[in-house]
Amino acid sequence: MITGASSGIGAEIAREYARRGVPLILTARREDRLAQLADELRARVPIEIISADLADPTAPARLCDEIERRRLPVRILVNNAGYGVPGRYRSKDWKTHADFLQVMLGATSELTWRLLPSICAHGQGRIINVASFAALVPAADGQTLYAPAKAYLVKFSEALSLENADRGVHVTALCPGFTWSEFHDVTGTRAMMSKLPKWMWLHADAVARAGIDAAERGQVVVVPGAFYKTMYCLIRHLPDSWALKLMGRNSGKIRKVD
């Protein structure tokens, strides 16, 4: 099952799994986009679509009830649904932040909890949590909750990996950097982000393959792309105060901070 499967990395993960012959359950808010993707992939594998808005706290339970009603065994879970909230913390009302936290943390945690017995029952289960390179470096000014939420996914993945390794379950946190997708269109930062050099950008299909390959070999944290691997190594060796100051000087280039 892939959440947030209607576009971007989620859709490319669906396409990659379909190429590998894995039947799919696709979920997202936009049922029309899910239907289009299902029509594209149905010639390769069986596809089920279930629309759900994970900002609704009741959605994870209802989604899992529907999966059970259709008798769909889940061996692989991809927690991909997510977005960013542009601007500084007090520039948005609390409902906006609460919905964000529900999608990024609440829904991911609950879906994993509810589906884990099915995933473990297969003996070769996989969980991919789509985090971000932002989880691994000092937080930037703007989109205040984004990096903390993604850092949670990394630690969540590490803990789940240790807990379930003896059951044959591989858990992976996928941590891509800037990736060509609708993400920056939704946050209204496309014009700003387009000023960044093209070599800083990853393609969503390559990110999808990196995540799936990492899960298959049991790698817990994967950073796609040579540039981001190098940056991660460099930042890990900088004093925290230096790294934070460096991010502070450059936040305006990568975040909308008004």
Side-chain angles (χ1 to χ4, degrees), residues 77 79 108-109 112-113 116 120 127-129 152-167 169-172 220:
L77 171 62
N79 287 308
T108 294
S109 301
T112 303
W113 183 83
L116 194 55
C120 290
I127 299 172
I128 300 175
N129 292 318
Y152 169 87
L153 292 181
V154 173
K155 295 304 178 184
F156 183 49
S157 301
E158 291 173 345
L160 283 173
S161 178
L162 293 174
E163 289 179 16
N164 296 284
D166 61 348
R167 302 177 187 179
V169 177
H170 293 169
V171 184
T172 296
V220 179

Side-chain angles (χ1 to χ4, degrees), residues 85 89 92-102 145:
V85 177
Y89 197 40
K92 299 293 185 292
D93 60 31
W94 179 246
K95 177 65 164 56
T96 299
H97 292 313
D99 288 349
F100 173 84
L101 291 171
Q102 172 58 30
L145 295 177

Side-chain angles (χ1 to χ4, degrees), residues 24-68:
L24 300 171
I25 306 167
L26 306 177
T27 183
R29 289 182 300 111
R30 296 176 292 184
E31 189 169 6
D32 57 335
R33 296 286 293 270
L34 289 177
Q36 291 174 12
L37 182 59
D39 289 343
E40 174 191 335
L41 301 180
R42 197 165 272 129
R44 292 177 177 266
V45 295
I47 305 282
E48 298 278 346
I49 63 172
I50 308 172
S51 63
D53 182 357
L54 295 181
D56 179 352
T58 69
R62 289 189 287 105
L63 180 54
C64 292
D65 286 346
E66 181 63 17
I67 289 170
E68 185 174 353

Side-chain angles (χ1 to χ4, degrees), residues 177-195:
F178 299 126
T179 303
W180 295 112
S181 70
E182 294 179 3
F183 180 91
H184 296 103
D185 299 309
V186 173
T187 60
T189 57
R190 172 60 62 197
M192 177 190 297
M193 302 307 297
S194 294
K195 297 176 183 177

